[in-house]
Amino acid sequence: MPFRLLKFGLSRNYPEPRMFRSPERLRDSYDVVIIGGGAHGLAAAYYLATEHGIRDVAVLERRYIGHGGTGRNTAIIRSNYLTEEGARFYEFSVDLYRDLARRLDYNLFYSQRGHFTLAHSAAALRTQRWRAAVNRHLGIDSEVVGREFIARTIPEIDLDCGGHQPPIEGALYHPPGAIARHDAVAWAYARGADRAGAEIHQQTAVTGIEVAGGKVAGVHTDRGFIATGKVLSAVAGWTPQVTRMVGLRTPLVVHPLQALVTEPFKPWLDAIVVSASLHTYISQSARGELVAGASLDPYELTAMRSTLEFAEGLAGHMLDLFPCLADVRVLRQWGGLADMTPDFSPIMGTTHVGGFYLDAGWGTWGFKASPASGYTMAHTVAKETDHPLIEAFNLSRFHRFDLVGEKGAASVGH
């Protein structure tokens, strides 16, 4: 253990300040209340204060910050989406991520790795060519590569999958693909929001939302009532519970999503590897652990538990791709919630309830959107109109039957 860390731990007077304040009480009113202390909610609070001068903000989290999807994902960042609306939005998010550590003055362990979406058939390869064409048209670095390039870049991979699965025909290669430490993103945004004047209240559950005359009037919590004219819901898998409080219907369905991490060992996998056919995605963290996940569990359930069936199935597919992992041990596994929409795109922006704003429907791709979501939702709340980048994601698209079909780029949890 480093001497400096030991000295810090044994000190009676800690030289470092807390990451953020823990206010003893809720005030009677705030200009804006944000429900959800994940990366999206904390980022929105940060950008409300720093970009729009709105500092009278309370972030309410019923557990602790990052308890939900922010702390239960595989931390992959990319922008190689299929639709123009999705690709532009996520490219903006990648741009924000690149400078985020400097802006927030916090090491996020952001690491550009290159993202491979493997194709195991001619049909899958056609889809990757389609995605590459859309990406290049929008100025996003993305291309289709063959088996030789994959083998040269990832020499440990078995392109024939041991004969147990269809062989790899090629891949969509996205050089800007990156990973970051998800907890650090939440902590950094929390500290930034706190320093800018927002209040973060953990262990504070929202029990109801007061609506009068079609507009938000306040929020009921287990610590008392808060008067406010603006409420932003950013609670991912718990969105249906919140929208029921204001009488709002959405097409969201919630599925469990599981992942695991192996014991750490010497870094060898520099790229991010995703197989839509095997419903598997793998990367190696800065600590040397392999982080891997699979597709959604095939049932609707609001529960964050993990199963033996998942671990066995994912381990088998990991070995199809990387036989060298046969003796590697699983360190831990976990589950999260994925709030899915019919078109595999988020629901963002204003609603027909005055002063109620929705940031939901992130399914398996919410972490990579955290900076862009916070930035655009802060604009939307401050200006009371949707940011141009999220106009296509408004809830009203389902009434207009104007969907943003992103399934081809987001059908695997990654």
Side-chain angles (χ1 to χ4, degrees):
M1 179 182 292
F3 176 74
R4 181 174 178 272
L5 180 60
L6 182 63
K7 182 180 178 181
F8 181 90
L10 297 176
S11 174
R12 290 182 178 272
N13 300 311
Y14 292 106
E16 298 291 333
R18 293 181 62 88
M19 284 291 293
F20 53 88
R21 297 166 296 167
S22 297
E24 293 184 0
R25 56 179 293 273
L26 287 167
R27 300 208 309 271
D28 294 334
S29 66
Y30 294 89
D31 289 342
V32 180
V33 170
I34 297 174
I35 307 174
H40 284 221
L42 295 167
Y46 172 77
Y47 290 117
L48 275 169
T50 59
E51 298 291 326
H52 304 282
I54 301 176
R55 297 178 174 83
D56 188 22
V57 177
V59 179
L60 309 181
E61 169 54 52
R62 70 174 183 173
R63 296 290 295 275
Y64 52 86
I65 65 167
H67 166 260
T70 296
R72 297 171 180 270
N73 70 89
T74 50
I76 295 172
I77 300 164
R78 63 183 178 89
S79 62
N80 57 342
Y81 275 70
L82 183 59
T83 67
E84 181 174 349
E85 298 88 348
R88 289 191 187 281
F89 177 85
Y90 289 102
E91 180 70 0
F92 178 59
S93 200
V94 170
D95 286 343
L96 291 175
Y97 258 121
R98 289 190 179 110
D99 191 50
L100 201 56
R102 183 200 62 80
R103 174 161 184 165
L104 297 176
D105 190 26
Y106 199 87
N107 184 6
L108 306 179
F109 293 89
Y110 182 88
S111 175
Q112 185 171 319
R113 301 293 187 87
H115 184 281
F116 287 83
T117 306
L118 305 178
H120 294 257
S121 68
L125 203 54
R126 283 196 297 271
T127 300
Q128 308 309 355
R129 292 192 182 100
W130 180 12
R131 288 174 60 181
V134 171
N135 293 165
R136 288 197 298 271
H137 174 70
L138 299 174
I140 296 171
D141 190 359
S142 187
E143 63 177 322
V144 172
V145 296
R147 286 168 60 94
E148 298 78 10
F149 183 90
I150 299 170
R152 187 168 61 252
T153 309
I154 316 170
E156 298 83 3
I157 198 167
D158 181 356
L159 295 173
D160 296 321
C161 299
H164 305 131
Q165 306 292 339
I168 297 167
E169 302 288 342
L172 177 69
Y173 176 52
H174 180 50
I179 60 172
R181 186 174 179 186
H182 44 77
D183 293 326
V185 173
W187 299 335
Y189 269 128
R191 187 179 70 171
D194 175 78
R195 290 180 175 179
E199 291 185 4
I200 300 170
H201 294 268
Q202 302 179 94
Q203 304 298 325
T204 303
V206 172
T207 58
I209 300 175
E210 194 79 25
V211 177
K215 296 181 179 180
V216 168
V219 175
H220 295 276
T221 78
D222 57 359
R223 295 172 58 195
F225 178 76
I226 304 169
T228 185
K230 293 184 177 182
V231 172
L232 166 60
S233 174
V235 297
W238 289 276
T239 296
Q241 289 92 315
V242 174
T243 52
R244 278 197 293 268
M245 297 176 184
V246 295
L248 193 66
R249 292 185 61 192
T250 73
L252 291 175
V253 293
V254 179
H255 290 264
L257 179 67
Q258 302 183 54
L260 61 77
V261 63
T262 70
E263 60 184 330
F265 47 96
K266 184 177 180 180
W268 59 274
L269 182 61
D270 190 51
I272 302 161
V273 180
V274 177
S275 171
S277 297
L278 303 185
H279 300 289
T280 303
Y281 47 101
I282 308 170
S283 63
Q284 190 168 23
S285 73
R287 294 181 295 192
E289 305 156 327
L290 285 179
V291 183
S295 61
L296 301 171
D297 288 351
Y299 40 78
E300 295 181 41
L301 182 67
T302 304
M304 296 190 298
R305 86 286 177 274
S306 197
T307 65
L308 177 61
E309 179 185 17
F310 152 77
E312 290 178 334
L314 178 57
H317 289 321
M318 291 174 69
L319 291 176
D320 289 336
L321 294 173
F322 298 104
C324 59
L325 301 179
D327 295 326
V328 172
R329 291 172 292 185
V330 173
L331 185 64
R332 62 185 180 277
Q333 62 186 88
W334 64 91
L337 300 179
D339 46 330
M340 304 298 298
T341 60
D343 60 357
F344 288 73
S345 290
I347 299 173
M348 303 181 71
T350 55
T351 68
H352 70 260
V353 179
F356 183 76
Y357 305 89
L358 194 55
D359 177 21
W362 289 105
T364 66
W365 49 92
F367 176 75
K368 64 180 66 65
S370 298
S373 173
Y375 189 95
T376 56
M377 288 305 302
H379 175 279
T380 299
V381 171
K383 306 295 184 182
E384 300 183 358
T385 185
D386 292 338
H387 187 282
L389 275 177
I390 67 170
E391 288 175 350
F393 302 140
N394 192 279
L395 176 62
S396 62
R397 74 180 186 272
F398 297 104
H399 298 283
R400 303 191 309 269
F401 298 101
D402 188 15
L403 307 189
V404 186
E406 200 63 79
K407 185 175 183 179
S411 56
V412 177
H414 56 290

